Amino acid sequence: AQSVSQHNHHVILSEAASLELGCNYSYGGTVNLFWYVQYPGQHLQLLLKYFSGDPLVKGIKGFEAEFIKSKFSFNLRKPSVQWSDTAEYFCAVNAFGNEKLTFGTGTRLTIIP
Amino acid sequence: GAVVSQHPSRVICKSGTSVKIECRSLDFQATTMFWYRQFPKQSLMLMATSNEGSKATYEQGVEKDKFLINHASLTLSTLTVTSAHPEDSSFYICSINRDSDSNEQFFGPGTRLTVL
């Protein structure tokens, strides 16, 4: 079975700072990788996903993530954060061909104006 | 626009009562829907996979008699928490898979259940 770990539980940044949230997974086979965001009071929304091709994935709102297979990592990055990026961020993985998603514990991001 | 809806958005009930939560796929015929549970400040845990026209598949440790799932149509799945107790208080979220290539899931807004 796969598992996902997110090392940062709570990150606090000032506006315009650069962001990198860590995500590592454990699974020996081919995987699909996702980053979801949950804004306060809203439902989970997809930020970006990787399932094949270029390991550098661009998502919405200026976010990107890089799949490094050798490190089993899929870190989320944004060069300059905004106050509106304050939210909970979840990394998730499913095994190729399997619909079941396994989520990381989430990272709470707080942006200070 | 919204792809998945849930009703109710929040419910408060007394211990021992049963609560039904609906999950609707608004513009997609979903043969499979997923039910998750999210405790405060924790991640989503998959409870079960709801299969249209057949029995749900429950994850290890989830009581199927406690959490009854019915997927009677391609657009509706229901989760019934039977004989609810305070420890069942949680945020329940459903999702559908609309992309068979990437298995991307679309999530409902969730239902906050509080059992007194």
Side-chain angles (χ1 to χ4, degrees):
Chain A
Q2 60 263 30
S3 66
V4 181
S5 61
Q6 291 181 243
H7 318 294
N8 316 102
H9 297 294
H10 190 188
V11 173
I12 303 173
L13 295 172
S14 298
E15 274 193 316
S18 64
L19 169 73
E20 180 160 4
L21 301 182
C23 172
N24 286 89
Y25 69 94
S26 64
Y27 182 71
T30 303
V31 294
N32 300 316
L33 296 153
F34 307 83
W35 274 98
Y36 282 90
V37 60
Q38 190 173 30
Y39 296 105
Q42 297 188 30
H43 62 278
L44 278 164
Q45 302 171 42
L46 183 71
L47 266 183
L48 47 79
K49 63 184 179 183
Y50 170 83
F51 61 98
S52 66
D54 190 344
L56 182 60
V57 180
K58 302 242 183 244
I60 60 171
K61 303 186 180 184
F63 286 92
E64 65 177 32
E66 185 174 13
F67 171 46
I68 303 179
K69 190 174 181 179
S70 61
K71 295 185 177 180
F72 297 90
S73 70
F74 190 55
N75 292 355
L76 181 70
R77 299 194 293 251
K78 185 170 183 177
S80 177
V81 294
Q82 300 172 310
W83 176 79
S84 57
D85 293 324
T86 295
E88 188 92 20
Y89 292 80
F90 293 94
C91 182
V93 62
N94 61 17
F96 181 76
N98 186 336
E99 293 181 291
K100 291 185 185 179
L101 270 179
T102 300
F103 281 84
T105 50
T107 298
R108 181 175 298 276
L109 176 65
T110 302
I111 305 300
I112 302 171
Chain B
V3 174
V4 182
S5 70
Q6 283 185 241
H7 177 80
S9 57
R10 60 180 68 224
V11 56
I12 301 172
C13 69
K14 292 182 179 179
S15 185
T17 60
S18 294
V19 175
K20 181 186 284 188
I21 302 170
E22 293 185 348
C23 176
R24 291 184 185 273
S25 174
L26 299 179
D27 63 351
F28 183 77
Q29 293 186 323
T31 56
T32 304
M33 292 185 181
F34 302 92
W35 285 98
Y36 294 84
R37 184 172 180 176
Q38 185 180 27
F39 289 104
K41 298 184 180 180
Q42 293 189 30
S43 186
L44 282 78
M45 299 296 293
L46 179 65
M47 298 175 65
T49 302
S50 172
N51 304 299
E52 189 268 336
S54 65
K55 293 183 180 179
T57 306
Y58 290 81
E59 295 301 300
Q60 191 173 9
V62 178
E63 300 175 58
K64 62 180 181 180
D65 296 329
K66 172 79 172 175
F67 299 99
L68 299 178
I69 291 173
N70 184 286
H71 194 151
S73 77
L74 291 171
T75 58
L76 174 64
S77 175
T78 60
L79 168 68
T80 301
V81 183
T82 62
S83 187
H85 290 282
E87 58 264 31
D88 298 324
S89 298
S90 190
F91 197 53
Y92 293 88
I93 306 171
C94 70
S95 73
I96 64 170
N97 177 359
R98 288 180 64 187
D99 183 343
S100 59
D101 287 333
S102 67
N103 287 323
E104 174 188 343
Q105 292 185 19
F106 290 80
F107 289 83
T111 297
R112 170 86 51 204
L113 170 62
T114 303
V115 185
L116 303 176

